[in-house]
């Protein structure tokens, strides 16, 4: 049976002489793997293979059978045309971080509508925003990802609850008896980031590169604490190097 859905390309792997297997975070079916034939040959159809690069947002017509691990695509085209993301090294590095983070976080083929729309919107904002205002976007997306996956932060920062307990995901009055927590300065920054609703608000939160680095690793630790099979990402060192340049 054929279905129309949008999807974000997460990974493309060569398969055989002319085909690829593509991991796509789809609107309707969540994480799915598709085999696409003939996109690595000299035939005209192969020109469409360039559309399958990670980060691209596609409009798809797909075959879907619940019992299969590998599905097929009937038709695909760009659902959004980037104007700068693939050519701007800062934006492209941030996008690759977001994509790797999704790969590490999505394990089952479950529909995540809110997360899908949030991710698509974030990529479009990344593409359309000035480079100067996107430095905090990786922090924001990482924080929000946890909320969409079911473990949002509880409470708010205040003078009475100045410590963020990463293990419990809540703001507390005293530092917990373990190391997985943030001090008042970083807890307040986290609360400000989490309350933002648009990229312009993110740009107004000024912090040093070192603080940004420390927060990102703290948020990744937060995800690891709540997802036991969450493994280390390769992109953060590259991300920090690019943002620090």
């Amino acid at each position: 049976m054929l279905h129309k859905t949008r999807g974000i390309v997460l990974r493309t792997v060569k398969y055989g002489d002319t085909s690829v297997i593509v991991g796509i975070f789809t609107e309707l079916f969540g994480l799915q793997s598709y085999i696409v034939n003939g996109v690595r040959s000299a035939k005209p159809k192969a020109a469409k293979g360039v559309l399958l690069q990670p980060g691209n947002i596609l409009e798809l017509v797909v075959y879907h059978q619940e019992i299969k691990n590998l599905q097929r695509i009937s038709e695909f085209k760009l659902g959004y045309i980037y104007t700068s993301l693939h050519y701007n090294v800062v934006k492209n590095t941030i996008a690759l971080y977001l994509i790797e983070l999704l790969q590490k976080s999505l394990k089952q083929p479950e529909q995540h509508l809110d997360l899908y729309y949030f991710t698509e919107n974030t990529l479009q904002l990344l593409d359309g925003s000035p480079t100067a205002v996107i430095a905090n976007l990786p922090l924001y997306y990482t924080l929000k990802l946890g909320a969409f996956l079911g473990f949002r932060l509880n409470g708010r920062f205040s003078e009475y609850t100045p410590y963020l307990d990463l293990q419990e995901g809540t703001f507390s009055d005293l530092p917990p008896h373990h190391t997985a927590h943030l001090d008042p300065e970083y807890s307040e920054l986290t609360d400000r980031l989490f309350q933002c609703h648009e990229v312009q608000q993110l740009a107004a939160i000024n912090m040093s590169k070192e603080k940004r680095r420390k927060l990102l690793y703290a948020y990744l630790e937060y995800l690891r604490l709540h997802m036991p099979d969450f493994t280390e990402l390769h992109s953060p060192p590259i991300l920090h190097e690019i943002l620090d340049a």
Side-chain angles (χ1 to χ4, degrees), residues 13-243:
V13 179
K14 294 178 182 178
Y15 182 77
D17 293 331
T18 64
S19 304
V20 294
I21 293 176
V22 190
I24 301 179
F25 179 31
T26 68
E27 177 186 11
L28 291 186
F29 307 111
L31 180 65
Q32 295 290 327
S33 294
Y34 296 94
I35 184 167
V36 187
N37 300 118
V39 291
R40 294 175 47 236
S41 68
K43 297 178 181 178
K45 180 182 177 182
K48 292 193 70 177
V50 72
L51 305 185
L52 299 175
Q53 67 184 102
N56 274 356
I57 298 167
L58 304 178
E59 289 185 7
L60 303 153
V61 179
V62 300
Y63 297 94
H64 187 78
Q65 296 184 42
E66 293 290 343
I67 59 172
K68 287 191 173 183
N69 292 324
L70 193 59
Q71 312 286 349
R72 287 190 174 272
I73 298 176
S74 175
E75 303 173 32
F76 64 95
K77 63 181 181 180
L78 287 178
Y80 176 85
I81 299 174
Y82 293 120
T83 58
S84 64
L85 187 142
H86 287 314
Y87 314 105
N88 180 301
V89 65
V90 175
K91 293 182 179 184
N92 190 247
T93 303
I94 292 175
L96 292 178
Y97 166 77
L98 302 184
I99 293 304
E100 186 186 15
L101 184 59
L102 270 180
Q103 285 181 319
K104 299 287 187 178
S105 303
L106 299 176
K107 303 295 184 181
Q108 302 297 326
E110 302 171 20
Q111 186 186 58
H112 291 284
L113 273 180
D114 290 341
L115 176 57
Y116 177 83
Y117 296 137
F118 175 68
T119 302
E120 187 177 296
N121 184 57
T122 299
L123 288 169
Q124 292 179 17
L125 281 174
L126 178 61
D127 180 56
S129 299
T131 307
V133 306
I134 57 177
N136 289 332
L137 200 58
L139 295 174
Y140 180 69
Y141 185 86
T142 308
L143 268 181
K144 290 292 187 179
L145 176 66
F148 284 117
L149 293 177
F151 38 90
R152 67 175 288 123
L153 297 178
N154 294 307
R156 295 288 308 274
F157 172 87
S158 73
E159 61 179 305
Y160 305 107
T161 52
Y163 296 95
L164 177 56
D165 184 333
L166 297 172
Q167 198 164 287
E168 299 298 326
T170 188
F171 291 90
S172 60
D173 56 344
L174 296 171
H177 297 295
H178 55 74
T179 59
H181 69 273
L182 297 179
D183 67 22
E185 180 184 12
Y186 287 98
S187 297
E188 182 178 16
L189 283 169
T190 299
D191 186 50
R192 290 180 63 197
L193 286 166
F194 194 74
Q195 299 304 320
C196 289
H197 299 293
E198 55 187 44
V199 73
Q200 287 75 18
Q201 292 175 309
L202 288 172
I205 302 175
N206 296 313
M207 68 181 87
S208 68
K209 297 165 185 174
E210 187 54 40
K211 288 179 181 178
R212 200 176 286 125
R213 184 195 304 264
K214 181 174 179 177
L215 280 176
L216 187 68
Y217 283 116
Y219 299 164
L220 291 174
E221 171 70 3
Y222 175 63
L223 294 181
R224 189 191 65 77
L225 287 167
H226 292 81
M227 292 189 288
D229 56 351
F230 186 79
T231 56
E232 186 177 354
L233 275 70
H234 301 294
S235 56
I238 304 169
L239 178 67
H240 294 313
E241 186 175 332
I242 292 297
L243 289 177

